[in-house]
mmCIF file with all atom_site columns, all heavy atoms in Angstrom:
data_model
loop_
_atom_site.group_PDB
_atom_site.id
_atom_site.type_symbol
_atom_site.label_atom_id
_atom_site.label_alt_id
_atom_site.label_comp_id
_atom_site.label_asym_id
_atom_site.label_entity_id
_atom_site.label_seq_id
_atom_site.pdbx_PDB_ins_code
_atom_site.Cartn_x
_atom_site.Cartn_y
_atom_site.Cartn_z
_atom_site.occupancy
_atom_site.B_iso_or_equiv
_atom_site.pdbx_formal_charge
_atom_site.auth_seq_id
_atom_site.auth_comp_id
_atom_site.auth_asym_id
_atom_site.auth_atom_id
_atom_site.pdbx_PDB_model_num
ATOM 1  N N   . ALA V 1 29  ? 141.447 89.634  80.644  1.00 94.00 ? 29  ALA V N   1
ATOM 2  C CA  . ALA V 1 29  ? 142.016 90.009  81.940  1.00 94.00 ? 29  ALA V CA  1
ATOM 3  C C   . ALA V 1 29  ? 141.071 90.948  82.692  1.00 94.00 ? 29  ALA V C   1
ATOM 4  O O   . ALA V 1 29  ? 140.896 90.820  83.903  1.00 94.00 ? 29  ALA V O   1
ATOM 5  C CB  . ALA V 1 29  ? 143.384 90.662  81.731  1.00 94.00 ? 29  ALA V CB  1
ATOM 6  N N   . PRO V 1 34  ? 138.102 91.740  90.182  1.00 92.00 ? 34  PRO V N   1
ATOM 7  C CA  . PRO V 1 34  ? 137.225 91.437  91.332  1.00 92.00 ? 34  PRO V CA  1
ATOM 8  C C   . PRO V 1 34  ? 135.974 92.311  91.415  1.00 92.00 ? 34  PRO V C   1
ATOM 9  O O   . PRO V 1 34  ? 135.100 92.012  92.216  1.00 92.00 ? 34  PRO V O   1
ATOM 10 C CB  . PRO V 1 34  ? 138.146 91.686  92.534  1.00 92.00 ? 34  PRO V CB  1
ATOM 11 C CG  . PRO V 1 34  ? 139.212 92.603  92.042  1.00 92.00 ? 34  PRO V CG  1
ATOM 12 C CD  . PRO V 1 34  ? 139.434 92.240  90.608  1.00 92.00 ? 34  PRO V CD  1
ATOM 13 N N   . SER V 1 48  ? 128.468 96.583  91.652  1.00 92.00 ? 48  SER V N   1
ATOM 14 C CA  . SER V 1 48  ? 127.621 97.689  92.098  1.00 92.00 ? 48  SER V CA  1
ATOM 15 C C   . SER V 1 48  ? 126.141 97.379  91.897  1.00 92.00 ? 48  SER V C   1
ATOM 16 O O   . SER V 1 48  ? 125.284 97.898  92.629  1.00 92.00 ? 48  SER V O   1
ATOM 17 C CB  . SER V 1 48  ? 127.980 98.968  91.336  1.00 92.00 ? 48  SER V CB  1
ATOM 18 O OG  . SER V 1 48  ? 127.829 98.785  89.940  1.00 92.00 ? 48  SER V OG  1
ATOM 19 N N   . ASP V 1 57  ? 109.391 99.324  103.381 1.00 59.00 ? 57  ASP V N   1
ATOM 20 C CA  . ASP V 1 57  ? 108.754 98.822  104.605 1.00 59.00 ? 57  ASP V CA  1
ATOM 21 C C   . ASP V 1 57  ? 109.817 98.330  105.580 1.00 59.00 ? 57  ASP V C   1
ATOM 22 O O   . ASP V 1 57  ? 109.723 97.252  106.158 1.00 59.00 ? 57  ASP V O   1
ATOM 23 C CB  . ASP V 1 57  ? 107.774 97.691  104.279 1.00 59.00 ? 57  ASP V CB  1
ATOM 24 C CG  . ASP V 1 57  ? 106.474 98.227  103.705 1.00 59.00 ? 57  ASP V CG  1
ATOM 25 O OD1 . ASP V 1 57  ? 106.086 99.338  104.075 1.00 59.00 ? 57  ASP V OD1 1
ATOM 26 O OD2 . ASP V 1 57  ? 105.867 97.533  102.876 1.00 59.00 ? 57  ASP V OD2 1
ATOM 27 N N   . SER V 1 107 ? 110.873 81.777  103.894 1.00 95.00 ? 107 SER V N   1
ATOM 28 C CA  . SER V 1 107 ? 111.076 80.329  103.779 1.00 95.00 ? 107 SER V CA  1
ATOM 29 C C   . SER V 1 107 ? 111.138 79.874  102.327 1.00 95.00 ? 107 SER V C   1
ATOM 30 O O   . SER V 1 107 ? 111.824 78.902  102.003 1.00 95.00 ? 107 SER V O   1
ATOM 31 C CB  . SER V 1 107 ? 109.956 79.590  104.511 1.00 95.00 ? 107 SER V CB  1
ATOM 32 O OG  . SER V 1 107 ? 108.687 79.956  103.977 1.00 95.00 ? 107 SER V OG  1
ATOM 33 N N   . ARG V 1 134 ? 116.500 68.769  76.823  1.00 88.00 ? 134 ARG V N   1
ATOM 34 C CA  . ARG V 1 134 ? 116.976 68.284  78.113  1.00 88.00 ? 134 ARG V CA  1
ATOM 35 C C   . ARG V 1 134 ? 117.194 69.452  79.064  1.00 88.00 ? 134 ARG V C   1
ATOM 36 O O   . ARG V 1 134 ? 117.618 70.531  78.664  1.00 88.00 ? 134 ARG V O   1
ATOM 37 C CB  . ARG V 1 134 ? 118.273 67.493  77.923  1.00 88.00 ? 134 ARG V CB  1
ATOM 38 C CG  . ARG V 1 134 ? 118.120 66.293  77.009  1.00 88.00 ? 134 ARG V CG  1
ATOM 39 C CD  . ARG V 1 134 ? 119.368 65.431  76.995  1.00 88.00 ? 134 ARG V CD  1
ATOM 40 N NE  . ARG V 1 134 ? 119.616 64.857  78.318  1.00 88.00 ? 134 ARG V NE  1
ATOM 41 C CZ  . ARG V 1 134 ? 120.627 64.031  78.579  1.00 88.00 ? 134 ARG V CZ  1
ATOM 42 N NH1 . ARG V 1 134 ? 121.480 63.702  77.618  1.00 88.00 ? 134 ARG V NH1 1
ATOM 43 N NH2 . ARG V 1 134 ? 120.804 63.545  79.787  1.00 88.00 ? 134 ARG V NH2 1
ATOM 44 N N   . SER V 1 204 ? 94.389  92.706  85.653  1.00 96.00 ? 204 SER V N   1
ATOM 45 C CA  . SER V 1 204 ? 94.943  91.803  86.667  1.00 96.00 ? 204 SER V CA  1
ATOM 46 C C   . SER V 1 204 ? 95.876  90.804  85.984  1.00 96.00 ? 204 SER V C   1
ATOM 47 O O   . SER V 1 204 ? 95.767  90.540  84.782  1.00 96.00 ? 204 SER V O   1
ATOM 48 C CB  . SER V 1 204 ? 93.826  91.072  87.415  1.00 96.00 ? 204 SER V CB  1
ATOM 49 O OG  . SER V 1 204 ? 93.121  90.209  86.522  1.00 96.00 ? 204 SER V OG  1
ATOM 50 N N   . ALA V 1 217 ? 95.228  71.552  85.441  1.00 84.00 ? 217 ALA V N   1
ATOM 51 C CA  . ALA V 1 217 ? 96.296  71.100  84.531  1.00 84.00 ? 217 ALA V CA  1
ATOM 52 C C   . ALA V 1 217 ? 97.124  70.000  85.205  1.00 84.00 ? 217 ALA V C   1
ATOM 53 O O   . ALA V 1 217 ? 97.185  69.914  86.429  1.00 84.00 ? 217 ALA V O   1
ATOM 54 C CB  . ALA V 1 217 ? 97.193  72.287  84.161  1.00 84.00 ? 217 ALA V CB  1
ATOM 55 N N   . PRO V 1 231 ? 89.232  78.416  96.796  1.00 97.00 ? 231 PRO V N   1
ATOM 56 C CA  . PRO V 1 231 ? 87.996  79.093  97.187  1.00 97.00 ? 231 PRO V CA  1
ATOM 57 C C   . PRO V 1 231 ? 88.207  80.265  98.139  1.00 97.00 ? 231 PRO V C   1
ATOM 58 O O   . PRO V 1 231 ? 87.288  81.077  98.337  1.00 97.00 ? 231 PRO V O   1
ATOM 59 C CB  . PRO V 1 231 ? 87.183  77.981  97.876  1.00 97.00 ? 231 PRO V CB  1
ATOM 60 C CG  . PRO V 1 231 ? 87.827  76.697  97.477  1.00 97.00 ? 231 PRO V CG  1
ATOM 61 C CD  . PRO V 1 231 ? 89.255  77.020  97.252  1.00 97.00 ? 231 PRO V CD  1
ATOM 62 N N   . ARG V 1 268 ? 78.700  111.961 95.541  1.00 92.00 ? 268 ARG V N   1
ATOM 63 C CA  . ARG V 1 268 ? 79.245  110.788 94.852  1.00 92.00 ? 268 ARG V CA  1
ATOM 64 C C   . ARG V 1 268 ? 80.693  110.963 94.462  1.00 92.00 ? 268 ARG V C   1
ATOM 65 O O   . ARG V 1 268 ? 81.274  110.117 93.769  1.00 92.00 ? 268 ARG V O   1
ATOM 66 C CB  . ARG V 1 268 ? 78.423  110.420 93.596  1.00 92.00 ? 268 ARG V CB  1
ATOM 67 C CG  . ARG V 1 268 ? 76.963  110.156 93.867  1.00 92.00 ? 268 ARG V CG  1
ATOM 68 C CD  . ARG V 1 268 ? 76.776  109.087 94.921  1.00 92.00 ? 268 ARG V CD  1
ATOM 69 N NE  . ARG V 1 268 ? 77.360  107.815 94.516  1.00 92.00 ? 268 ARG V NE  1
ATOM 70 C CZ  . ARG V 1 268 ? 77.726  106.840 95.360  1.00 92.00 ? 268 ARG V CZ  1
ATOM 71 N NH1 . ARG V 1 268 ? 77.601  107.021 96.676  1.00 92.00 ? 268 ARG V NH1 1
ATOM 72 N NH2 . ARG V 1 268 ? 78.231  105.714 94.924  1.00 92.00 ? 268 ARG V NH2 1
ATOM 73 N N   . PHE V 1 278 ? 83.683  97.850  107.308 1.00 97.00 ? 278 PHE V N   1
ATOM 74 C CA  . PHE V 1 278 ? 82.526  97.226  107.933 1.00 97.00 ? 278 PHE V CA  1
ATOM 75 C C   . PHE V 1 278 ? 81.392  98.245  107.813 1.00 97.00 ? 278 PHE V C   1
ATOM 76 O O   . PHE V 1 278 ? 81.199  99.093  108.680 1.00 97.00 ? 278 PHE V O   1
ATOM 77 C CB  . PHE V 1 278 ? 82.838  96.880  109.391 1.00 97.00 ? 278 PHE V CB  1
ATOM 78 C CG  . PHE V 1 278 ? 83.965  95.885  109.546 1.00 97.00 ? 278 PHE V CG  1
ATOM 79 C CD1 . PHE V 1 278 ? 85.282  96.312  109.614 1.00 97.00 ? 278 PHE V CD1 1
ATOM 80 C CD2 . PHE V 1 278 ? 83.701  94.529  109.594 1.00 97.00 ? 278 PHE V CD2 1
ATOM 81 C CE1 . PHE V 1 278 ? 86.325  95.399  109.748 1.00 97.00 ? 278 PHE V CE1 1
ATOM 82 C CE2 . PHE V 1 278 ? 84.737  93.598  109.727 1.00 97.00 ? 278 PHE V CE2 1
ATOM 83 C CZ  . PHE V 1 278 ? 86.054  94.040  109.803 1.00 97.00 ? 278 PHE V CZ  1
ATOM 84 N N   . ALA V 1 321 ? 102.562 97.580  110.614 1.00 87.00 ? 321 ALA V N   1
ATOM 85 C CA  . ALA V 1 321 ? 103.155 96.234  110.528 1.00 87.00 ? 321 ALA V CA  1
ATOM 86 C C   . ALA V 1 321 ? 103.220 95.565  111.886 1.00 87.00 ? 321 ALA V C   1
ATOM 87 O O   . ALA V 1 321 ? 102.994 94.357  112.002 1.00 87.00 ? 321 ALA V O   1
ATOM 88 C CB  . ALA V 1 321 ? 104.553 96.349  109.915 1.00 87.00 ? 321 ALA V CB  1
#
Side-chain angles (χ1 to χ4, degrees):
S48 58
D57 283 329
S107 58
R134 301 188 64 178
S204 65
R268 303 304 300 158
F278 298 88

